[in-house]
Amino acid sequence: MFPIRFSHPLNNVINREVQSFGSLLNVIRENVLDIVSTALGKSSRPEETTQVLRAIARNEVPRSWLAASFVTAHTALSDYMVELGIKLNFWTNIVQRHQGSNTSPLNSPPVFWLPAFANPHAFLETLAQRRSRVEGVPISTIGREWEVMTFATAG
């Protein structure tokens, strides 16, 4: 979807982000399938499935999910799932906006939601790398000052 190109360094970051969320979804999917298998009496990993079920029953994020997850402040499973849904929606929109397009995601949208990134540091470093290349200067000379904008609703 976003081929790795020297002229579009953000593509690599986008690929890693999408793959990271894909890996998390695979872990969740495997755990849910294990729960179904356990309910049918066919589980191959009953101990891990029991841990996941206990965490879900306590409204906690299962440890196996956190191991494959983005950094989150949420400990309640319900809050975590809402956060995950919002982040997945952000990445789905990025991917859909660029399907069949030959442009870099850096060209659109003009604003990125930093908390959507599993690794926001990589995104910020990529922006510095891109600026370094565009200006033809060493990356070590690029300042790292970021401005946080106030939230505004569309409309």
Side-chain angles (χ1 to χ4, degrees):
M1 169 63 63
F2 301 107
I4 296 172
R5 296 185 186 134
F6 183 79
S7 60
H8 298 294
L10 186 61
N11 286 2
N12 191 26
V13 173
I14 301 282
N15 279 322
R16 280 184 284 169
E17 290 294 324
V18 171
Q19 288 173 2
S20 175
F21 281 98
S23 296
L24 171 59
L25 292 176
N26 284 336
V27 169
I28 293 171
R29 185 179 301 112
E30 286 175 14
N31 285 171
V32 170
L33 290 174
D34 286 344
I35 291 169
V36 171
S37 294
T38 299
L40 297 173
K42 302 176 183 178
S43 178
S44 60
R45 300 184 291 191
E47 289 178 22
E48 184 179 334
T49 303
T50 301
Q51 281 183 339
V52 172
L53 279 171
R54 283 187 183 143
I56 291 171
R58 291 189 304 256
N59 191 30
E60 295 173 354
V61 182
R63 280 185 274 153
S64 57
W65 299 11
L66 289 173
S69 183
F70 49 88
V71 176
T72 183
H74 297 296
T75 56
L77 178 60
S78 54
D79 293 334
Y80 177 85
M81 294 305 289
V82 169
E83 181 182 8
L84 175 60
I86 293 169
K87 290 179 181 205
L88 290 174
N89 188 45
F90 173 83
W91 289 111
T92 299
N93 288 336
I94 294 288
V95 170
Q96 287 176 345
R97 193 174 300 136
H98 289 88
Q99 279 182 327
S101 170
N102 206 17
T103 64
S104 169
L106 192 57
N107 297 331
S108 163
V111 176
F112 281 91
W113 181 48
L114 200 55
F117 287 82
N119 186 356
H121 179 72
F123 172 67
L124 296 174
E125 283 300 310
T126 299
L127 293 179
Q129 180 184 45
R130 183 173 186 271
R131 184 168 179 199
S132 167
R133 290 177 182 170
V134 166
E135 294 181 10
V137 297
I139 195 166
S140 60
T141 64
I142 301 293
R144 305 293 203 284
E145 293 182 26
W146 312 102
E147 180 182 341
V148 178
M149 299 171 58
T150 57
F151 180 77
T153 58

